[in-house]
Amino acid sequence: MDGLQGVYIRKLSVAELRTRLQPYWTVPESRAGDTDWQLRVVAALQDRLVFLKDITEFAQVFLPTWWDTAVTTFDRASLIPKKGTPEQAAIAIAWCHTHFQKLDDTLFYDTPTLRTTVMDFIQSARLSNAAILWPLRVAFSLQQNTPLFLP
């Protein structure tokens, strides 16, 4: 049954899904009246949602710095993959920073295209997936394990 609900959610237009999410979504106070921002968040998360009630939790994991702009502590050691080094993690973060600055902002709300773009960048630079994806996932989510951004 869960799968059917997810299929139904993905068939809705982004605007319709945003409307249906309103009773379940705790939108950050600073974004409460920002319909464009809400639509971009819904578009980015639509393919992951199984239940409408999951929107706040998914958005907080996927977009934590948009919710918590006062992040004061973060274990930087979590950026380092198990088989990596601090130097490799620093190179990966710097590499992502350089390449992400070149991207159109709207790309960050299109998960499949963002995933393809990142994977293409990694391949063209002849870097290992783990060397880039681990620090990138942790940097985006501020969590060591997250199923949401990149596989």
Side-chain angles (χ1 to χ4, degrees):
M1 212 39 136
D2 292 355
L4 291 176
Q5 291 180 30
V7 169
Y8 174 75
I9 286 171
R10 284 183 280 289
K11 289 186 183 246
L12 294 171
S13 72
V14 172
E16 178 63 23
L17 180 55
R18 178 188 162 268
T19 300
R20 291 179 187 233
L21 288 168
Q22 293 307 305
Y24 307 96
W25 193 6
T26 305
V27 176
E29 200 174 302
S30 63
R31 299 291 190 163
D34 190 344
T35 302
D36 289 339
W37 180 86
Q38 292 175 25
L39 289 170
R40 291 191 312 261
V41 170
V42 170
L45 298 177
Q46 184 171 17
D47 65 336
R48 292 174 176 78
L49 287 173
V50 176
F51 300 106
L52 297 175
K53 67 178 179 57
D54 293 335
I55 183 63
T56 297
E57 178 185 350
F58 276 32
Q60 287 173 336
V61 170
F62 184 70
L63 311 164
T65 55
W66 289 1
W67 260 246
D68 182 6
T69 56
V71 174
T72 56
T73 61
F74 175 69
D75 181 9
R76 292 182 178 164
S78 63
L79 290 166
I80 305 165
K82 290 178 184 173
K83 295 181 180 180
T85 66
E87 293 77 19
Q88 290 169 329
I91 290 168
I93 298 288
W95 182 86
C96 290
H97 181 260
T98 300
H99 285 82
F100 279 27
Q101 284 183 334
K102 299 174 188 174
L103 299 177
D104 178 359
D105 286 347
T106 60
L107 181 65
F108 291 94
Y109 299 99
D110 179 358
T111 305
T113 304
L114 179 58
R115 182 179 302 121
T116 300
T117 301
V118 170
M119 297 307 288
D120 288 350
F121 276 160
I122 292 169
Q123 187 176 14
S124 69
R126 295 191 174 128
L127 299 168
S128 78
N129 288 354
I132 298 295
L133 295 181
W134 179 280
L136 178 62
R137 183 182 66 240
V138 173
F140 268 101
S141 70
L142 300 180
Q143 299 178 26
Q144 233 177 357
N145 301 306
T146 177
L148 298 177
F149 179 57
L150 294 167

